[in-house]
């Protein structure tokens, strides 16, 4: 499906780029430093007993990547009812050469001392439309972050760190989250610079089991393509109302490179690999009954949902092509499905 006109995107997003009015601490410095990591139980005074506490500590140590630095400076964008903050900073992409804003949110569990030695799963959330200069998931009106808090308490979701980078370098074109020749390297930005930034500032997991994308419309395409293209780095995606082929006008004259960024080609190649734990990816598609494209998604699942390419389709009753519809679909089962296949934080016993 083609991307919606910008005016229509603005309408269906239902004010999703608006900030919370009167946020008294907006612009204030905010830190995402978690609790100070403690020595594993076996290294603490008295040694370990080989019990469950020692096993949990050993598992956390083996799987967790502590913040590598350098530490970014964040300012407050929004504050949730539970006191957690959505922060924002400007990232200079060392590998892509692109500079852009990134918004981040960490759940309350991230600051709980019992998780001081554990990584947390990361969800890179991408908007529809051009996704510039704002990523609309950074607002609180769509309730993505507060919903993840609620769902994690209900056992439906992992307590994800939510990372919200700008999707494109300008509001004129879309770049398909790719390194289009002669253009800003948005593929490198999204799959290398942004993850490196998260690893520098947060406790994460070393393996791809702790890394996923979600997105709507054009952002869903980028998330889908990124997971298929870099299945060694990312485990899952929630792709809502996505295109399944690259259609940026900037590909003109670069057909070979366009096909190298085509989810259909990438999924076909991956589906032919052995169905092993090292190869599997989880593609959670969502679409509303009031939008077009469901048959294309069913065709994609039929043709490429084989072997290590695991798929799920959430058809959202009365759903439209907008972000609020897709949050509802996440609640109705999508977030739980990817959570079941990803790494959960490891508490001290």
């Amino acid at each position: 499906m083609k991307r919606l006109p910008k005016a229509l995107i603005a309408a269906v997003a239902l004010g999703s780029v608006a900030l919370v009015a009167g946020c008294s601490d907006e612009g204030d410095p905010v830190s995402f430093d978690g609790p100070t990591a403690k020595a594993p139980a076996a290294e603490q005074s008295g040694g370990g007993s080989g019990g469950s506490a020692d096993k949990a500590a050993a598992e956390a140590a083996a799987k967790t990547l502590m913040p590598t630095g350098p530490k970014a400076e964040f300012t407050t964008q929004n504050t949730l009812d539970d006191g957690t903050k959505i922060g924002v900073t400007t990232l200079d992409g060392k590998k892509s050469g692109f500079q852009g804003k990134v918004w981040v949110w960490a759940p309350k569990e991230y600051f709980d001392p019992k998780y001081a030695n554990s990584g947390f799963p990361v969800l890179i959330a991408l908007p529809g439309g051009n996704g510039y200069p704002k990523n609309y998931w950074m607002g609180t009106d769509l309730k993505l972050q507060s919903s993840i808090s609620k769902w994690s308490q209900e056992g439906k979701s992992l307590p994800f760190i939510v990372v919200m980078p700008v999707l494109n370098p300008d509001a004129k074109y879309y770049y398909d989250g790719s390194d289009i020749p002669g253009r800003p390297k948005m593929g490198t930005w999204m799959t290398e610079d942004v993850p490196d930034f998260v690893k520098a500032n947060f406790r994460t997991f070393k393996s791809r089991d702790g890394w996923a994308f979600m997105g709507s419309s054009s952002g869903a395409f980028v998330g889908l393509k990124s997971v298929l293209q870099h299945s060694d780095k990312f485990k899952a995606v929630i792709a809502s109302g996505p295109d399944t082929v690259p259609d940026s006008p900037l590909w003109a004259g670069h057909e070979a490179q366009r096909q190298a960024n085509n989810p259909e080609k990438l999924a076909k190649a991956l589906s032919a690999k052995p169905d092993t734990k090292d190869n599997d990816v989880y593609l959670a598609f969502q679409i509303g009954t009031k939008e077009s494209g469901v048959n294309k998604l069913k065709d994609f699942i039929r043709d490429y949902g084989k072997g290590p390419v695991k798929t799920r389709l959430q058809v959202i009753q009365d759903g439209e092509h907008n972000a609020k519809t897709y949050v509802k679909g996440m609640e109705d089962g999508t977030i739980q499905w990817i959570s079941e296949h990803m790494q959960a934080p490891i508490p001290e016993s």
Side-chain angles (χ1 to χ4, degrees):
M1 71 198 73
K2 291 295 181 183
R3 293 161 174 84
L4 297 176
K6 283 189 279 188
L8 183 54
I9 290 169
V12 299
L14 299 175
S16 56
V17 298
L19 305 182
V20 174
C23 178
S24 61
D25 57 356
E26 182 180 333
D28 289 349
V30 61
S31 172
F32 290 97
D33 291 345
T36 301
K38 297 173 285 187
E43 298 178 12
Q44 294 175 11
S45 175
S49 61
S52 59
D54 291 348
K55 291 178 181 178
E59 181 185 8
K63 294 182 176 181
T64 296
L65 177 66
M66 289 296 176
T68 61
K71 187 183 298 185
E73 294 183 358
F74 296 95
T75 57
T76 301
Q77 181 74 77
N78 282 307
T79 302
L80 276 64
D81 289 342
D82 65 1
T84 55
K85 309 281 186 179
I86 298 173
V88 61
T89 192
T90 298
L91 171 62
D92 288 309
K94 302 302 182 187
K95 296 177 180 177
S96 69
F98 174 70
Q99 181 188 79
K101 286 189 175 181
V102 182
W103 291 264
V104 295
W105 172 81
K108 290 190 75 170
E109 291 91 338
Y110 187 83
F111 306 99
D112 188 330
K114 74 180 179 182
Y115 292 107
N117 290 328
S118 177
F120 273 68
V122 176
L123 189 65
I124 301 174
L126 305 178
N130 288 86
Y132 179 90
K134 306 285 189 183
N135 177 323
Y136 58 55
W137 296 112
M138 58 79 177
T140 56
D141 55 323
L142 294 172
K143 302 186 184 302
L144 174 63
Q145 296 83 3
S146 58
S147 294
I148 288 175
S149 289
K150 174 177 174 287
W151 300 332
S152 64
Q153 292 168 10
E154 295 171 347
K156 296 178 180 178
S157 172
L158 298 180
F160 289 97
I161 297 168
V162 180
V163 182
M164 300 153 276
V166 292
L167 182 61
N168 288 298
D170 57 57
K172 185 177 182 181
Y173 298 110
Y174 48 91
Y175 292 67
D176 283 339
S178 302
D179 291 357
I180 300 176
R183 305 290 178 172
K185 295 182 177 180
M186 301 312 292
T188 299
W189 159 262
M190 198 66 69
T191 61
E192 296 191 44
D193 287 332
V194 170
D196 286 350
F197 155 79
V198 180
K199 293 171 185 176
N201 288 279
F202 294 88
R203 303 189 309 278
T204 57
F205 287 116
K206 297 174 184 177
S207 83
R208 68 192 186 102
D209 291 350
W211 294 84
F213 279 89
M214 65 152 282
S216 46
S217 193
S218 54
F221 169 87
V222 174
L224 174 64
K225 192 267 298 190
S226 297
V227 169
L228 290 169
Q229 195 171 47
H230 300 282
S231 59
D232 58 326
K233 297 180 180 180
F234 307 103
K235 183 71 172 286
V237 61
I238 298 173
S240 303
D243 296 311
T244 59
V245 294
D247 59 359
S248 170
L250 301 177
W251 287 115
H254 306 289
E255 183 60 20
Q257 292 91 336
R258 187 178 82 88
Q259 291 302 329
N261 287 274
N262 185 340
E264 294 183 356
K265 302 286 187 183
L266 295 166
K268 182 178 181 180
L270 183 57
S271 68
K273 291 185 177 182
D275 187 2
T276 65
K277 188 177 185 301
D278 290 336
N279 290 333
D280 61 358
V281 294
Y282 293 82
L283 314 180
F285 294 103
Q286 300 195 132
I287 196 162
T289 57
K290 292 184 177 181
E291 61 177 310
S292 62
V294 66
N295 289 333
K296 287 185 178 180
L297 288 185
K298 288 181 177 179
D299 289 347
F300 185 98
I301 290 170
R302 179 198 65 211
D303 294 340
Y304 310 118
K306 304 171 183 177
V309 180
K310 316 297 183 182
T311 60
R312 182 183 188 274
L313 176 61
Q314 181 82 37
V315 178
I316 306 161
Q317 190 63 36
D318 297 323
E320 300 178 342
H321 191 73
N322 63 51
K324 288 194 174 182
T325 285
Y326 302 141
V327 173
K328 180 182 182 299
M330 291 171 69
E331 181 171 27
D332 289 345
T334 306
I335 195 73
Q336 183 166 348
W337 187 70
I338 70 159
S339 292
E340 289 170 350
H341 301 289
M342 296 185 67
Q343 176 64 54
I346 304 165
E348 290 193 352
S349 300

